[in-house]
Amino acid sequence: MRAVLLETFGGPLSVADLPDPACPEDGVVVRVGATGLCRSDWHAWQGHDDGVRLPHVPGHELAGTVVEVGPAVSTVAVGDRVTTPFVLACGTCATCRRGDQQVCERQEQPGFTGWGSFADLVALPRAEVNLVRLPDEVPDDVAAGLGCRVATAYRAVAQVGGVRPGERVVVHGCGGVGLAAVMVARALGAEVYAVDPAPASRDLAARLGAVPVDPAAGAVVEALVDLTGGGADVSLDAFGAASVASASLRCLRPRGRHVQVGLLGGADAGAGADLGLVVARELQVLGSHGLSATGYPELLALVADGTLRPDLLLRDRVGLAEGARRLAALGEPGAGAGGATVVLPHR
């Protein structure tokens, strides 16, 4: 198979001919129809995730068609169109038994603990717990973003943040997951403010129904408190930086809810909250990590009936070589602005 190969953290990314993956006994092999480009892939390339072992194939947002099924799998068939959460849950640990598969104690992750979907083929273990069949109304390029950005945004906004109609929601960082969060919050009837330094991202957020806010204009926290009439009900850091998380906390009203979605890597990995502010305002600080496979039918129904339109978030569709170049560039300012990039391995 052809795949993007990572051999040195932060080093060159090349498209290489590699052996086809072996099918796990409890899993499947999927022919990748499309795979999303996500900032989490950039963190893997940089070596910020200690689960990544070299050489490595990145990629964790995927959709495609099953081409091989392991002997322990009876609920999935060759020819099924599928996607999967980026957390491949075990289904048996105490956390999974409580229904919280997205934070499985023994999770595996394509593109992190195992080779991922920047490839013609990807092997996925634990198929019966994690694979999600795709409705005909959802094509591969749209479904590729569901496994991470849209599903992550849906859980962060609707389930963890508990956004209700009429609430004021601030989304800090309008990359893939941030723009999806804007879309979900608007669909839930919230008043949304979208903060991003890139004009293209602010413009797309405005088209999705948000009030765009440029952090470069200065005093962004004060501006948000003023715009929201005293502070937001819910604020999300959808980028992942200490300064962004701090702004998210400080723009909340008393008893507001901060949701941390973006990964904090590198020097920001140990960033902490201002707990004095948390106590003084009785703020809630919440983490959100993906969406379990059991939550996908509800999400897919909203996509299939047009309530959510992740197709509006797609900016570009590129091949593997261009996808590798764009992955390496994600650390540059504005590299992911203006919508999502989807990699089509067979282009």
Side-chain angles (χ1 to χ4, degrees), residues 310-321:
D311 57 297
L312 298 178
L313 306 179
L314 297 183
R315 179 183 65 178
D316 295 315
R317 297 162 178 83
V318 303
L320 281 174

Side-chain angles (χ1 to χ4, degrees), residues 39 149 153 157 169-183 192-198 200-202 204-205 208 210-215 220 224 235-241 243-245 247-248 251 258-263 313 334 336-339:
R39 186 171 168 81
R149 70 194 71 197
V157 174
V169 175
V170 177
V171 178
H172 300 259
C174 292
V177 71
L179 287 167
V182 168
M183 179 179 291
V192 183
Y193 299 84
V195 183
D196 198 281
S201 292
R202 295 197 304 273
L204 182 48
L208 296 173
V211 175
V213 178
D214 182 1
V220 66
L224 288 167
S235 185
L236 298 88
D237 172 7
F239 177 72
S243 59
V244 177
S248 178
C251 78
H258 164 77
V259 184
Q260 187 64 40
V261 184
L263 297 176
L313 306 179

Side-chain angles (χ1 to χ4, degrees), residues 7 17 33 56-57 67 93 103 106 109 134 140 195-196 200 229 256 262 264 281 306 314 321-322 332:
E7 297 182 279
D17 291 320
H56 185 67
V57 175
V67 295
C93 69
V103 285
R106 295 192 289 267
Q109 296 183 10
L134 290 169
D140 285 351
V195 183
D196 198 281
L264 295 162
R281 296 188 187 174
L314 297 183
E322 177 63 10
E332 301 171 6

Side-chain angles (χ1 to χ4, degrees), residues 266-278:
D268 285 350
D274 181 348
L275 296 183
L277 182 67
V278 170

